[in-house]
């Protein structure tokens, strides 16, 4: 049976941030140090936002 991994969005950041600023990456790094080891940044092209997400497998 195929298991689909679900994403949980922790935070959203606009793609047009100031040059040299990486707020989504910084937020994900903080989440990883605070106990969410799989926090990562993905781009949502539809909304032009960076999303910090975690992955969860349905039970």
């Amino acid at each position: 049976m195929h298991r689909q991994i679900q994403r949980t969005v922790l935070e959203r950041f606009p793609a047009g941030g100031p040059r040299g600023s990486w707020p989504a990456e910084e937020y994900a790094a903080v989440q990883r140090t605070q106990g969410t080891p799989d926090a990562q940044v993905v781009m949502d092209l539809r909304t032009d936002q960076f999303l910090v997400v975690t992955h969860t497998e349905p039970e």
Side-chain angles (χ1 to χ4, degrees):
M1 182 175 179
H2 177 71
R3 284 187 151 179
Q4 185 174 359
I5 296 177
Q6 297 175 336
R7 291 182 178 173
T8 300
V9 177
L10 300 176
E11 191 63 65
R12 299 170 185 270
F13 295 88
R19 185 179 180 107
S21 174
W22 300 95
E25 291 289 349
E26 293 167 2
Y27 183 85
V30 169
Q31 295 304 303
R32 289 189 294 268
T33 62
Q34 292 181 350
T36 308
D38 66 336
Q40 65 179 8
V41 178
V42 297
M43 179 69 183
D44 182 352
L45 295 175
R46 187 179 54 79
T47 63
D48 196 31
Q49 294 181 325
F50 291 107
L51 309 177
V52 178
V53 300
T54 61
H55 296 91
T56 55
E57 290 188 39
E59 295 183 24

Short mmCIF file of all heavy atoms in Angstrom, two decimals:
data_model
loop_
_atom_site.label_atom_id
_atom_site.label_comp_id
_atom_site.label_asym_id
_atom_site.label_seq_id
_atom_site.Cartn_x
_atom_site.Cartn_y
_atom_site.Cartn_z
N MET A 1 0.84 -1.18 0.00
CA MET A 1 0.00 0.00 0.00
C MET A 1 0.88 1.24 0.00
O MET A 1 1.86 1.33 0.73
CB MET A 1 -0.91 -0.02 1.23
CG MET A 1 -1.84 1.14 1.28
SD MET A 1 -2.95 0.90 2.69
CE MET A 1 -3.87 2.35 2.54
N HIS A 2 0.51 2.22 -0.80
CA HIS A 2 1.27 3.46 -0.91
C HIS A 2 0.91 4.40 0.22
O HIS A 2 -0.25 4.71 0.44
CB HIS A 2 0.99 4.11 -2.26
CG HIS A 2 1.67 5.43 -2.45
ND1 HIS A 2 3.01 5.53 -2.62
CD2 HIS A 2 1.18 6.69 -2.47
CE1 HIS A 2 3.33 6.79 -2.76
NE2 HIS A 2 2.23 7.52 -2.67
N ARG A 3 1.93 4.85 0.96
CA ARG A 3 1.71 5.82 2.03
C ARG A 3 2.06 7.20 1.52
O ARG A 3 3.15 7.40 0.96
CB ARG A 3 2.59 5.51 3.23
CG ARG A 3 2.11 4.38 4.04
CD ARG A 3 2.96 4.31 5.26
NE ARG A 3 2.18 3.74 6.33
CZ ARG A 3 2.64 3.52 7.53
NH1 ARG A 3 3.87 3.84 7.83
NH2 ARG A 3 1.87 3.00 8.45
N GLN A 4 1.18 8.13 1.72
CA GLN A 4 1.46 9.49 1.32
C GLN A 4 1.92 10.29 2.54
O GLN A 4 1.25 10.29 3.57
CB GLN A 4 0.22 10.15 0.72
CG GLN A 4 0.50 11.52 0.19
CD GLN A 4 -0.69 12.09 -0.53
OE1 GLN A 4 -1.72 11.46 -0.65
NE2 GLN A 4 -0.55 13.29 -1.02
N ILE A 5 3.06 10.93 2.41
CA ILE A 5 3.57 11.74 3.50
C ILE A 5 2.89 13.11 3.43
O ILE A 5 2.81 13.72 2.38
CB ILE A 5 5.10 11.88 3.41
CG1 ILE A 5 5.73 10.51 3.60
CG2 ILE A 5 5.61 12.86 4.45
CD1 ILE A 5 7.23 10.50 3.46
N GLN A 6 2.41 13.55 4.58
CA GLN A 6 1.73 14.84 4.64
C GLN A 6 2.69 15.89 5.17
O GLN A 6 3.57 15.60 5.97
CB GLN A 6 0.51 14.74 5.56
CG GLN A 6 -0.52 13.77 5.05
CD GLN A 6 -1.66 13.60 6.04
OE1 GLN A 6 -1.52 13.83 7.23
NE2 GLN A 6 -2.79 13.20 5.53
N ARG A 7 2.49 17.12 4.74
CA ARG A 7 3.28 18.24 5.21
C ARG A 7 2.46 19.10 6.16
O ARG A 7 1.27 19.32 5.94
CB ARG A 7 3.72 19.12 4.05
CG ARG A 7 4.72 18.49 3.15
CD ARG A 7 5.12 19.45 2.08
NE ARG A 7 6.12 18.85 1.22
CZ ARG A 7 6.56 19.41 0.13
NH1 ARG A 7 6.10 20.57 -0.25
NH2 ARG A 7 7.46 18.81 -0.59
N THR A 8 3.11 19.57 7.18
CA THR A 8 2.52 20.55 8.07
C THR A 8 3.29 21.84 7.89
O THR A 8 4.52 21.86 8.02
CB THR A 8 2.62 20.09 9.54
OG1 THR A 8 1.93 18.85 9.68
CG2 THR A 8 2.01 21.12 10.48
N VAL A 9 2.60 22.92 7.56
CA VAL A 9 3.23 24.22 7.36
C VAL A 9 3.38 24.90 8.72
O VAL A 9 2.40 25.13 9.42
CB VAL A 9 2.43 25.11 6.40
CG1 VAL A 9 3.07 26.48 6.26
CG2 VAL A 9 2.29 24.44 5.04
N LEU A 10 4.62 25.19 9.10
CA LEU A 10 4.89 25.87 10.36
C LEU A 10 4.82 27.38 10.22
O LEU A 10 4.40 28.08 11.13
CB LEU A 10 6.27 25.48 10.89
CG LEU A 10 6.50 24.00 11.16
CD1 LEU A 10 7.94 23.76 11.59
CD2 LEU A 10 5.53 23.48 12.19
N GLU A 11 5.28 27.90 9.06
CA GLU A 11 5.32 29.35 8.86
C GLU A 11 5.45 29.64 7.37
O GLU A 11 5.94 28.81 6.61
CB GLU A 11 6.51 29.95 9.62
CG GLU A 11 6.51 31.45 9.71
CD GLU A 11 5.33 32.01 10.47
OE1 GLU A 11 5.22 31.74 11.68
OE2 GLU A 11 4.50 32.70 9.86
N ARG A 12 5.02 30.82 6.96
CA ARG A 12 5.10 31.26 5.56
C ARG A 12 5.88 32.57 5.49
O ARG A 12 5.73 33.42 6.37
CB ARG A 12 3.70 31.51 4.99
CG ARG A 12 2.82 30.29 5.00
CD ARG A 12 1.37 30.66 4.65
NE ARG A 12 0.52 29.50 4.77
CZ ARG A 12 0.26 28.65 3.79
NH1 ARG A 12 0.80 28.85 2.61
NH2 ARG A 12 -0.51 27.62 3.99
N PHE A 13 6.69 32.72 4.44
CA PHE A 13 7.48 33.93 4.25
C PHE A 13 7.36 34.37 2.80
O PHE A 13 7.47 33.55 1.89
CB PHE A 13 8.95 33.66 4.58
CG PHE A 13 9.19 33.31 6.02
CD1 PHE A 13 9.10 31.99 6.45
CD2 PHE A 13 9.46 34.30 6.94
CE1 PHE A 13 9.31 31.66 7.78
CE2 PHE A 13 9.67 33.96 8.28
CZ PHE A 13 9.59 32.66 8.70
N PRO A 14 7.17 35.67 2.54
CA PRO A 14 7.11 36.15 1.16
C PRO A 14 8.44 35.93 0.45
O PRO A 14 9.51 36.04 1.06
CB PRO A 14 6.77 37.63 1.30
CG PRO A 14 7.11 38.00 2.70
CD PRO A 14 7.05 36.74 3.52
N ALA A 15 8.36 35.64 -0.84
CA ALA A 15 9.58 35.38 -1.61
C ALA A 15 10.37 36.65 -1.88
O ALA A 15 11.56 36.59 -2.14
CB ALA A 15 9.23 34.69 -2.92
N GLY A 16 9.77 37.80 -1.79
CA GLY A 16 10.45 39.05 -2.14
C GLY A 16 11.11 39.73 -0.97
O GLY A 16 11.02 40.95 -0.83
N GLY A 17 11.80 38.99 -0.13
CA GLY A 17 12.48 39.60 1.01
C GLY A 17 13.69 40.42 0.60
O GLY A 17 14.12 40.37 -0.55
N PRO A 18 14.25 41.17 1.55
CA PRO A 18 15.43 41.98 1.24
C PRO A 18 16.61 41.12 0.78
O PRO A 18 16.77 39.99 1.24
CB PRO A 18 15.77 42.66 2.56
CG PRO A 18 14.56 42.50 3.42
CD PRO A 18 13.82 41.30 2.92
N ARG A 19 17.41 41.66 -0.11
CA ARG A 19 18.57 40.93 -0.63
C ARG A 19 19.49 40.52 0.51
O ARG A 19 19.80 41.31 1.39
CB ARG A 19 19.32 41.80 -1.63
CG ARG A 19 20.44 41.09 -2.30
CD ARG A 19 21.14 42.00 -3.30
NE ARG A 19 22.21 41.29 -3.92
CZ ARG A 19 22.18 40.86 -5.16
NH1 ARG A 19 21.14 41.08 -5.91
NH2 ARG A 19 23.21 40.21 -5.67
N GLY A 20 19.91 39.26 0.50
CA GLY A 20 20.81 38.75 1.53
C GLY A 20 20.10 38.30 2.79
O GLY A 20 20.73 37.85 3.73
N SER A 21 18.77 38.43 2.82
CA SER A 21 18.00 38.02 3.99
C SER A 21 17.34 36.68 3.69
O SER A 21 16.74 36.50 2.64
CB SER A 21 16.93 39.07 4.29
OG SER A 21 16.09 38.64 5.33
N TRP A 22 17.45 35.73 4.62
CA TRP A 22 16.89 34.40 4.44
C TRP A 22 16.02 34.05 5.64
O TRP A 22 16.34 33.13 6.40
CB TRP A 22 18.00 33.37 4.27
CG TRP A 22 18.86 33.66 3.08
CD1 TRP A 22 20.03 34.34 3.05
CD2 TRP A 22 18.58 33.30 1.73
NE1 TRP A 22 20.51 34.42 1.77
CE2 TRP A 22 19.63 33.78 0.94
CE3 TRP A 22 17.53 32.61 1.12
CZ2 TRP A 22 19.67 33.60 -0.44
CZ3 TRP A 22 17.58 32.43 -0.25
CH2 TRP A 22 18.63 32.92 -1.00
N PRO A 23 14.92 34.77 5.88
CA PRO A 23 14.13 34.54 7.09
C PRO A 23 13.55 33.13 7.19
O PRO A 23 13.46 32.59 8.29
CB PRO A 23 13.04 35.60 7.03
CG PRO A 23 12.97 36.01 5.60
CD PRO A 23 14.34 35.83 5.05
N ALA A 24 13.17 32.54 6.08
CA ALA A 24 12.61 31.18 6.12
C ALA A 24 13.68 30.18 6.56
O ALA A 24 13.43 29.30 7.38
CB ALA A 24 12.02 30.79 4.77
N GLU A 25 14.89 30.30 6.01
CA GLU A 25 15.98 29.41 6.38
C GLU A 25 16.35 29.59 7.85
O GLU A 25 16.62 28.62 8.56
CB GLU A 25 17.20 29.64 5.50
CG GLU A 25 17.02 29.22 4.06
CD GLU A 25 16.95 27.71 3.87
OE1 GLU A 25 17.25 26.96 4.82
OE2 GLU A 25 16.58 27.29 2.78
N GLU A 26 16.36 30.84 8.31
CA GLU A 26 16.68 31.11 9.71
C GLU A 26 15.62 30.52 10.63
O GLU A 26 15.95 29.93 11.66
CB GLU A 26 16.82 32.62 9.92
CG GLU A 26 18.02 33.21 9.21
CD GLU A 26 18.00 34.72 9.14
OE1 GLU A 26 17.06 35.35 9.68
OE2 GLU A 26 18.93 35.29 8.54
N TYR A 27 14.36 30.66 10.26
CA TYR A 27 13.28 30.11 11.06
C TYR A 27 13.37 28.59 11.12
O TYR A 27 13.21 27.99 12.18
CB TYR A 27 11.93 30.55 10.50
CG TYR A 27 10.75 30.09 11.30
CD1 TYR A 27 10.31 30.81 12.40
CD2 TYR A 27 10.07 28.92 10.97
CE1 TYR A 27 9.22 30.38 13.15
CE2 TYR A 27 8.98 28.48 11.71
CZ TYR A 27 8.57 29.22 12.80
OH TYR A 27 7.50 28.78 13.54
N ALA A 28 13.63 27.96 9.98
CA ALA A 28 13.76 26.50 9.94
C ALA A 28 14.92 26.03 10.82
O ALA A 28 14.81 25.03 11.52
CB ALA A 28 13.95 26.01 8.51
N ALA A 29 16.03 26.77 10.80
CA ALA A 29 17.18 26.40 11.63
C ALA A 29 16.83 26.47 13.11
O ALA A 29 17.20 25.58 13.88
CB ALA A 29 18.36 27.32 11.31
N VAL A 30 16.10 27.50 13.50
CA VAL A 30 15.67 27.61 14.90
C VAL A 30 14.75 26.45 15.26
O VAL A 30 14.89 25.85 16.34
CB VAL A 30 14.98 28.97 15.15
CG1 VAL A 30 14.29 28.99 16.51
CG2 VAL A 30 15.97 30.11 15.05
N GLN A 31 13.84 26.10 14.37
CA GLN A 31 12.93 24.98 14.64
C GLN A 31 13.70 23.68 14.83
O GLN A 31 13.38 22.88 15.70
CB GLN A 31 11.90 24.83 13.51
CG GLN A 31 10.95 26.00 13.38
CD GLN A 31 10.22 26.27 14.67
OE1 GLN A 31 9.56 25.40 15.23
NE2 GLN A 31 10.35 27.49 15.17
N ARG A 32 14.74 23.48 14.01
CA ARG A 32 15.55 22.26 14.14
C ARG A 32 16.27 22.22 15.48
O ARG A 32 16.35 21.17 16.11
CB ARG A 32 16.52 22.15 12.96
CG ARG A 32 15.81 21.82 11.65
CD ARG A 32 16.79 21.50 10.54
NE ARG A 32 17.59 22.64 10.16
CZ ARG A 32 17.29 23.49 9.18
NH1 ARG A 32 16.16 23.34 8.50
NH2 ARG A 32 18.09 24.49 8.89
N THR A 33 16.78 23.36 15.94
CA THR A 33 17.49 23.38 17.23
C THR A 33 16.52 23.23 18.39
O THR A 33 16.92 22.82 19.47
CB THR A 33 18.32 24.66 17.41
OG1 THR A 33 17.46 25.79 17.42
CG2 THR A 33 19.38 24.79 16.34
N GLN A 34 15.24 23.54 18.17
CA GLN A 34 14.24 23.45 19.23
C GLN A 34 13.45 22.14 19.20
O GLN A 34 12.42 22.04 19.84
CB GLN A 34 13.29 24.64 19.17
CG GLN A 34 13.96 25.95 19.51
CD GLN A 34 13.00 27.12 19.48
OE1 GLN A 34 11.87 27.02 19.03
NE2 GLN A 34 13.47 28.26 19.94
N GLY A 35 13.93 21.17 18.42
CA GLY A 35 13.33 19.84 18.50
C GLY A 35 12.49 19.40 17.32
O GLY A 35 11.80 18.40 17.40
N THR A 36 12.51 20.13 16.23
CA THR A 36 11.81 19.70 15.02
C THR A 36 12.87 19.42 13.95
O THR A 36 13.14 20.25 13.10
CB THR A 36 10.82 20.80 14.54
OG1 THR A 36 9.99 21.17 15.63
CG2 THR A 36 9.96 20.30 13.39
N PRO A 37 13.50 18.23 14.00
CA PRO A 37 14.67 17.96 13.17
C PRO A 37 14.40 17.94 11.67
O PRO A 37 15.31 18.14 10.88
CB PRO A 37 15.14 16.59 13.65
CG PRO A 37 13.95 15.96 14.26
CD PRO A 37 13.12 17.08 14.82
N ASP A 38 13.15 17.72 11.27
CA ASP A 38 12.88 17.64 9.83
C ASP A 38 12.33 18.94 9.25
O ASP A 38 11.86 18.96 8.11
CB ASP A 38 11.94 16.48 9.53
CG ASP A 38 10.56 16.67 10.12
OD1 ASP A 38 10.44 17.43 11.10
OD2 ASP A 38 9.61 16.07 9.60
N ALA A 39 12.39 20.06 9.99
CA ALA A 39 11.92 21.34 9.46
C ALA A 39 12.77 21.72 8.25
O ALA A 39 14.00 21.70 8.31
CB ALA A 39 11.99 22.42 10.53
N GLN A 40 12.09 22.04 7.16
CA GLN A 40 12.82 22.44 5.96
C GLN A 40 12.03 23.48 5.20
O GLN A 40 10.84 23.66 5.42
CB GLN A 40 13.08 21.24 5.06
CG GLN A 40 11.85 20.59 4.50
CD GLN A 40 12.21 19.42 3.59
OE1 GLN A 40 13.35 19.00 3.49
NE2 GLN A 40 11.22 18.88 2.92
N VAL A 41 12.70 24.16 4.29
CA VAL A 41 12.09 25.22 3.49
C VAL A 41 11.76 24.68 2.10
O VAL A 41 12.59 24.02 1.48
CB VAL A 41 13.03 26.43 3.38
CG1 VAL A 41 12.41 27.51 2.50
CG2 VAL A 41 13.37 26.98 4.75
N VAL A 42 10.54 24.95 1.66
CA VAL A 42 10.13 24.63 0.30
C VAL A 42 9.51 25.87 -0.31
O VAL A 42 9.04 26.76 0.39
CB VAL A 42 9.12 23.44 0.25
CG1 VAL A 42 9.76 22.18 0.76
CG2 VAL A 42 7.87 23.77 1.01
N MET A 43 9.52 25.93 -1.63
CA MET A 43 8.93 27.06 -2.34
C MET A 43 7.56 26.69 -2.83
O MET A 43 7.38 25.64 -3.46
CB MET A 43 9.83 27.44 -3.53
CG MET A 43 9.32 28.59 -4.35
SD MET A 43 9.41 30.10 -3.40
CE MET A 43 8.68 31.25 -4.53
N ASP A 44 6.58 27.53 -2.53
CA ASP A 44 5.23 27.36 -3.07
C ASP A 44 5.10 28.32 -4.25
O ASP A 44 4.93 29.54 -4.06
CB ASP A 44 4.19 27.67 -1.99
CG ASP A 44 2.76 27.46 -2.46
OD1 ASP A 44 2.54 27.23 -3.68
OD2 ASP A 44 1.86 27.55 -1.62
N LEU A 45 5.25 27.80 -5.44
CA LEU A 45 5.23 28.64 -6.64
C LEU A 45 3.86 29.29 -6.87
O LEU A 45 3.78 30.41 -7.37
CB LEU A 45 5.62 27.82 -7.87
CG LEU A 45 7.04 27.28 -7.86
CD1 LEU A 45 7.28 26.38 -9.07
CD2 LEU A 45 8.05 28.41 -7.82
N ARG A 46 2.81 28.61 -6.48
CA ARG A 46 1.46 29.14 -6.68
C ARG A 46 1.25 30.44 -5.91
O ARG A 46 0.65 31.38 -6.42
CB ARG A 46 0.42 28.10 -6.28
CG ARG A 46 -1.01 28.48 -6.60
CD ARG A 46 -2.00 27.38 -6.20
NE ARG A 46 -1.90 26.97 -4.81
CZ ARG A 46 -2.42 27.65 -3.78
NH1 ARG A 46 -3.06 28.75 -3.98
NH2 ARG A 46 -2.27 27.19 -2.56
N THR A 47 1.77 30.50 -4.69
CA THR A 47 1.58 31.69 -3.85
C THR A 47 2.82 32.58 -3.78
O THR A 47 2.78 33.63 -3.13
CB THR A 47 1.18 31.30 -2.41
OG1 THR A 47 2.24 30.55 -1.82
CG2 THR A 47 -0.11 30.50 -2.40
N ASP A 48 3.92 32.17 -4.41
CA ASP A 48 5.19 32.91 -4.38
C ASP A 48 5.64 33.14 -2.94
O ASP A 48 5.96 34.25 -2.54
CB ASP A 48 5.06 34.23 -5.14
CG ASP A 48 6.41 34.84 -5.47
OD1 ASP A 48 7.37 34.07 -5.67
OD2 ASP A 48 6.51 36.08 -5.52
N GLN A 49 5.65 32.04 -2.16
CA GLN A 49 6.08 32.09 -0.77
C GLN A 49 7.02 30.94 -0.47
O GLN A 49 6.95 29.89 -1.10
CB GLN A 49 4.88 31.96 0.18
CG GLN A 49 3.92 33.09 0.15
CD GLN A 49 2.78 32.87 1.14
OE1 GLN A 49 2.35 31.75 1.37
NE2 GLN A 49 2.32 33.95 1.75
N PHE A 50 7.89 31.19 0.51
CA PHE A 50 8.68 30.11 1.07
C PHE A 50 7.92 29.57 2.27
O PHE A 50 7.42 30.34 3.09
CB PHE A 50 10.06 30.60 1.52
CG PHE A 50 10.95 30.98 0.38
CD1 PHE A 50 11.25 32.30 0.12
CD2 PHE A 50 11.52 30.00 -0.42
CE1 PHE A 50 12.08 32.65 -0.93
CE2 PHE A 50 12.34 30.33 -1.48
CZ PHE A 50 12.62 31.66 -1.74
N LEU A 51 7.81 28.25 2.35
CA LEU A 51 7.11 27.61 3.46
C LEU A 51 8.11 26.81 4.28
O LEU A 51 8.97 26.13 3.72
CB LEU A 51 6.04 26.64 2.94
CG LEU A 51 5.05 27.17 1.92
CD1 LEU A 51 4.11 26.05 1.47
CD2 LEU A 51 4.27 28.35 2.46
N VAL A 52 8.00 26.91 5.59
CA VAL A 52 8.78 26.05 6.48
C VAL A 52 7.83 24.91 6.85
O VAL A 52 6.76 25.15 7.40
CB VAL A 52 9.28 26.79 7.73
CG1 VAL A 52 10.05 25.84 8.63
CG2 VAL A 52 10.16 27.97 7.32
N VAL A 53 8.21 23.69 6.50
CA VAL A 53 7.33 22.55 6.68
C VAL A 53 8.02 21.44 7.47
O VAL A 53 9.24 21.38 7.56
CB VAL A 53 6.86 21.98 5.32
CG1 VAL A 53 6.09 23.02 4.52
CG2 VAL A 53 8.02 21.44 4.51
N THR A 54 7.17 20.56 8.02
CA THR A 54 7.63 19.30 8.59
C THR A 54 6.85 18.20 7.89
O THR A 54 5.78 18.46 7.30
CB THR A 54 7.39 19.20 10.10
OG1 THR A 54 6.00 19.28 10.35
CG2 THR A 54 8.12 20.30 10.85
N HIS A 55 7.36 17.00 7.93
CA HIS A 55 6.69 15.87 7.29
C HIS A 55 6.15 14.93 8.35
O HIS A 55 6.84 14.62 9.31
CB HIS A 55 7.65 15.12 6.38
CG HIS A 55 8.11 15.97 5.25
ND1 HIS A 55 9.25 16.74 5.33
CD2 HIS A 55 7.60 16.20 4.04
CE1 HIS A 55 9.42 17.39 4.19
NE2 HIS A 55 8.43 17.09 3.39
N THR A 56 4.93 14.47 8.16
CA THR A 56 4.33 13.50 9.06
C THR A 56 3.71 12.40 8.22
O THR A 56 3.15 12.65 7.15
CB THR A 56 3.24 14.14 9.95
OG1 THR A 56 2.28 14.77 9.10
CG2 THR A 56 3.83 15.18 10.88
N GLU A 57 3.83 11.19 8.70
CA GLU A 57 3.20 10.05 8.03
C GLU A 57 1.86 9.78 8.68
O GLU A 57 1.76 9.74 9.90
CB GLU A 57 4.07 8.81 8.12
CG GLU A 57 5.32 8.89 7.28
CD GLU A 57 6.04 7.58 7.24
OE1 GLU A 57 5.38 6.52 7.17
OE2 GLU A 57 7.27 7.60 7.27
N PRO A 58 0.82 9.59 7.88
CA PRO A 58 -0.48 9.26 8.47
C PRO A 58 -0.43 7.90 9.15
O PRO A 58 0.30 7.01 8.73
CB PRO A 58 -1.43 9.25 7.28
CG PRO A 58 -0.57 9.19 6.07
CD PRO A 58 0.80 9.64 6.45
N GLU A 59 -1.18 7.77 10.21
CA GLU A 59 -1.18 6.50 10.94
C GLU A 59 -2.12 5.50 10.33
O GLU A 59 -3.03 5.78 9.65
CB GLU A 59 -1.57 6.77 12.39
CG GLU A 59 -0.52 7.61 13.06
CD GLU A 59 -0.84 7.83 14.52
OE1 GLU A 59 -1.58 7.02 15.12
OE2 GLU A 59 -0.36 8.80 15.07
#
